[in-house]
Amino acid sequence: MHRLFLLLAGCLLFALPARAQKVGLVLSGGGAKGLTHIGIIRALEENNIPIDYVAGTSMGAIVSSMYAMGYSPDDMERLLKSDDFKRWYSGDIETKYLYYFKANPPTPEFLNIRVSLRNPFNKVKAQFLPSSVVDPIQMNIAFLELFAQATASCDGDFDRMFVPFRCVASDVYNKRPIIFRSGDVGDAVRASMSFPAMFKPIEIDSVLAYDGGIYNNFPVNVMQEDFRPDIIIGSVVSSNPTKPTEGDIMSQLENMIMQKTDYNVPDSAGILLTFNYKDVSLMDFDRFDELHNLGYNRTMQLMDSIKTRIPRRVLLRDVERRRSAYRQRLPEFRFRRISIEGADELQQRYIRREFHSSEHETFTLEDFRRGYFRLMSDNMISEILPHATYHPADSTYDLHLKVKIEDDLSLRVGGNVGSNGSNQIYVGATYHNLDYYSKEISLDGQLGQIYNNARLTGRMDFPTRLPLSCRLVVSLSSFDYFKQEKVFTSGNAPVFNKKKEQYLKLYLSLPFLSNQKAELGLGVAHLEDQYYQKAVIDFNNDKNDRSSYRLFGGSVAMEGNTLDSRQFATKGWRERLVAHIYSGRETFQPGNTADGTAADYHYDQTWLQLSYEMERYHPLSPHFSLGNYLKAYYSSRNNSRNYTATMMQAGEFAPTAHSKITYNEAFRANQFVGAGIMPVWLINSSVQIRTELYGFAPIFPILRDTDGHASMGRLLSRFSYMGEVSVVFRLPFGAVSAYVNHYSSPSKNWNVGLTLGWQIFNTRFTE
């Protein structure tokens, strides 16, 4: 009996430490290499190894925080492979949230300087390069979506999460690590992974917090001091910076910023997992399977040793049951009250109306997303940092928005430099004002060899239940077409055709879906075309003929745009359907080259004009995108006094930058269909090779008769084509393009050139 008692007591003493044994998991930072951590967690769970505490830095903080709030490895895989996650670290916005209604027409700017008129000499902010590589517009909202429910569930106490959690950030001003034990989970993780220059830091309790890897990239000490586990499993996917090399900017930056970290776990304290990587960069998140499997396989190789060190077991089905129960208890997103910091009372009213019209109404997370992206499309708001505070009494969240209002004056400089003569200087200034309404007054100008323009625009947006925008445009411009010289010759031939235009037009716009708008236009214009009608011209003595037009017209348009660039896009689409009706008088004033008509000529007419234009890109792989283009045009306009005047006012098919500055009668008609295909090879995010091929078919081609007048040709009796191959370097402030192109008419029409900047012209009255 005595021996039996001693045996039972010994077994009990042996069993007690095993049941009480606690396991802490520590995950290092390392960018995309941190995906390895998920493979480790999967292997541990499949073998019933418990994980009682988690701590991490940077990417390790992201993975450990997801595990701490009830994400399984499968959940993490689905999230990190999703398009949502790609948008978070790329800054791209999902198409349905692009709010085209707020967008102004693109300009060729490459430098934007914001100035406060209240204190113009003390506060000047130049927007030339972004403050971080990754645009924070997506990340600001993503961290609320991911972590606000967990913060609500634990009431800001990280020990009360599904698994107790710690993470580390850096206070670079006081040169010390910051250990997060409580507060907003999203803020803690966001701070921990904000690598300088890559991600924008956030301010927490008046401290600008950066990536925790600067001072502690492997927080074993935090795990030991806060949780005192019996054993630690450490996963190291990073290393201390190596000696920098001359051509490696990232290694130089790491050496300047990152302090050395102790990546060891003493044998007595636990188990250390280390890995060898080949050419894995900070943002290689598309290599999930490869990196996950590296962690899983390495952990399985060491599983016998791990099981020897950790005899305690927790069945996976029990973990999944508790995890499911925890996730079901997370409070659903229902917002009611909104508090706003950084805006005055009228601005706050404007912002609130994007979410609800009354504080008695609740709104969903989807309502918040749509309102957030609508506000971020406003030129007066540069950033919104959202936070959510839960109220158990009514099961709703308060939404706190920290808003950064832009300075009220924007000064812009830009343009284009081209070997084809399209040299342009662009300057612009806009006064912005946001109170209960959003208002803008803009003055833009372009000066160049081909195009000159001055434009004054006033805009007001009304935050009614159905938003309304009113825009008034006054524009004066001239466009000088050059006849391009052939390959390997210099200079341009003299100007043969010129267009001048002055107009005033009022636009009323309404949003249609999220990335389109309906627009009504009404305006008056005076147009003038100058041209010669004979082949041999004495520029010292001959005077050009002039056709002028006084027009009154209205338009109804439906348009949208999700292209990823002002020029040389690789994804997204652009679409415009517009109907015009015009009425006006044409006046012909002959020079001394006319067809014998000495008297001035007047002609009144009214006509209908319809056009549809579409440009769309289909990314078929990470390195290839296929674009297609279509334009259909119909005008009931009668022929003008002569053939050249008719062609100058005819519809124009000009899908490429070069064709927009070239006067080519083979691509003009009053009714036509044009289409194209654009394969684009993406060498990397900045370099692309574009091939573009377009065909043009006038329904009834315009012909010149023996008297120099215009006549109608046979149905679909002509076909023309153009093609271009270009190498494009897209830069933050513009694009560099080297191209060679060919037009089917006139014969042997080849051109080569180089451009730098953005070639963008303002809209014409009849477009």
Side-chain angles (χ1 to χ4, degrees), residues 709-730:
H709 296 156
S711 61
M712 186 179 297
R714 290 184 294 108
L715 176 68
L716 298 175
S717 59
R718 289 189 176 180
F719 176 80
S720 301
Y721 67 86
M722 67 176 79
E724 182 170 287
V725 176
S726 58
V727 179
V728 178
F729 298 82
R730 289 202 313 194

Side-chain angles (χ1 to χ4, degrees), residues 6-21 307-308 310-312:
L6 290 177
L7 179 62
L8 290 173
C11 291
L12 182 62
L13 290 173
F14 179 80
L16 282 175
R19 286 195 300 271
Q21 186 184 40
K307 287 181 175 180
T308 300
I310 306 174
R312 176 172 159 240

Side-chain angles (χ1 to χ4, degrees), residues 135 174 199 209 287 368 488 499 569 608 666 681 742:
D135 188 335
N174 293 301
F199 301 105
R287 298 169 64 178
F368 168 65
F488 307 124
K499 299 181 74 70
L608 174 68
W681 288 267
H742 173 64

Side-chain angles (χ1 to χ4, degrees), residues 100-101 467-469 507-513 515-521 555-560 577:
Y100 183 68
F101 169 69
L468 175 68
S469 176
Y507 298 91
L508 295 177
S509 302
L510 301 168
F512 180 71
L513 301 178
N515 44 41
Q516 297 185 59
K517 69 178 178 181
E519 189 168 69
L520 305 176
S555 61
V556 179
M558 190 76 68
E559 62 179 322
L577 174 64

Side-chain angles (χ1 to χ4, degrees), residues 216-403:
N216 187 353
N217 202 34
F218 188 48
V220 171
N221 61 327
V222 176
M223 174 64 72
Q224 291 173 321
E225 293 168 5
D226 281 28
F227 297 123
R228 301 186 182 280
D230 299 291
I231 192 166
I232 292 173
I233 300 175
S235 172
V236 175
V237 299
S238 187
S239 62
N240 286 309
T242 58
K243 183 178 179 181
T245 58
E246 183 179 355
D248 190 342
I249 296 177
M250 186 58 71
S251 71
Q252 297 171 27
L253 186 62
E254 286 181 342
N255 273 269
M256 288 187 286
I257 295 174
M258 308 287 285
Q259 293 190 5
K260 289 188 176 181
T261 293
D262 183 1
Y263 287 109
N264 293 307
V265 175
D267 289 340
S268 60
I271 302 163
L272 181 66
L273 300 170
T274 59
F275 305 89
N276 293 319
Y277 297 93
K278 294 181 180 178
D279 300 323
V280 180
S281 69
L282 187 68
M283 305 296 284
D284 274 347
F285 292 104
D286 57 342
R287 298 169 64 178
F288 181 94
D289 291 337
E290 171 192 347
L291 297 169
H292 165 278
N293 293 341
L294 185 65
Y296 181 85
N297 294 334
R298 176 62 174 158
T299 308
M300 293 302 293
Q301 290 173 358
L302 298 175
M303 189 53 64
D304 289 342
S305 175
I306 293 172
K307 287 181 175 180
T308 300
R309 297 288 303 272
I310 306 174
R312 176 172 159 240
R313 301 288 178 268
V314 175
L315 295 178
L316 177 57
R317 64 173 178 268
D318 293 336
V319 174
E320 290 175 338
R321 177 177 48 79
R322 290 189 295 107
R323 181 183 286 141
S324 176
Y326 174 85
R327 301 284 297 169
Q328 289 176 1
R329 291 195 301 269
L330 294 177
E332 181 185 356
F333 277 118
R334 288 173 56 248
F335 300 97
R336 185 187 301 276
R337 294 159 291 271
I338 303 175
S339 62
I340 301 171
E341 177 186 352
D344 62 33
E345 183 177 349
L346 289 176
Q347 292 167 345
Q348 291 181 29
R349 290 175 62 188
Y350 177 89
I351 293 168
R352 284 193 178 94
R353 287 187 68 90
E354 292 292 353
F355 303 105
H356 58 47
S357 58
S358 169
E359 290 195 3
H360 299 292
E361 299 176 352
T362 60
F363 56 98
T364 65
L365 179 62
E366 180 62 20
D367 295 330
F368 168 65
R369 287 194 197 103
R370 293 189 181 277
Y372 171 84
F373 286 113
R374 282 197 298 265
L375 287 168
M376 288 305 301
S377 66
D378 198 300
N379 290 324
M380 274 301 292
I381 298 176
S382 62
E383 188 173 26
I384 299 175
L385 288 169
H387 289 84
T389 304
Y390 183 64
H391 286 279
D394 61 358
S395 300
T396 63
Y397 290 83
D398 284 356
L399 183 63
H400 178 75
L401 303 176
K402 187 175 181 181
V403 179

Side-chain angles (χ1 to χ4, degrees), residues 58-228:
S58 197
M59 189 61 192
I62 295 176
V63 174
S64 59
S65 68
M66 287 194 290
Y67 191 77
M69 60 185 190
Y71 275 65
S72 69
D74 285 341
D75 295 331
M76 296 184 208
E77 179 175 356
R78 279 190 293 271
L79 175 63
L80 297 176
K81 283 184 173 181
S82 70
D83 291 336
D84 282 341
F85 181 73
K86 293 176 183 176
R87 283 188 284 268
W88 295 343
Y89 69 78
S90 68
D92 292 341
I93 301 174
E94 192 174 355
T95 300
K96 67 179 180 180
Y97 298 123
L98 290 173
Y99 200 49
Y100 183 68
F101 169 69
K102 288 276 191 179
N104 285 320
T107 63
E109 68 183 71
F110 54 75
L111 175 64
N112 190 321
I113 301 172
R114 301 301 292 240
V115 180
S116 172
L117 290 180
R118 294 188 181 92
N119 195 353
F121 300 105
N122 187 46
K123 188 179 181 184
V124 177
K125 181 173 64 176
Q127 296 176 349
F128 180 69
L129 294 174
S131 57
S132 58
V133 173
V134 177
D135 188 335
I137 186 172
Q138 283 279 14
M139 200 164 289
N140 289 345
I141 189 173
F143 275 77
L144 180 142
E145 294 182 32
L146 269 178
F147 298 106
Q149 291 174 292
T151 303
S153 178
C154 72
D155 197 22
D157 182 354
F158 295 177
D159 287 344
R160 295 173 54 191
M161 298 178 70
F162 176 69
V163 175
F165 163 69
R166 295 289 185 271
C167 72
V168 179
S170 297
D171 176 359
V172 296
Y173 179 74
N174 293 301
K175 295 180 172 50
R176 64 179 182 87
I178 306 171
I179 301 170
F180 288 101
R181 301 177 174 91
S182 61
D184 187 289
V185 181
D187 280 356
V189 177
R190 171 78 178 272
S192 183
M193 49 80 61
S194 294
F195 189 83
M198 182 62 67
F199 301 105
K200 189 174 181 179
I202 63 170
E203 187 175 305
I204 301 176
D205 297 330
S206 301
V207 173
L208 202 59
Y210 284 87
D211 192 296
I214 296 174
Y215 298 118
N216 187 353
N217 202 34
F218 188 48
V220 171
N221 61 327
V222 176
M223 174 64 72
Q224 291 173 321
E225 293 168 5
D226 281 28
F227 297 123
R228 301 186 182 280

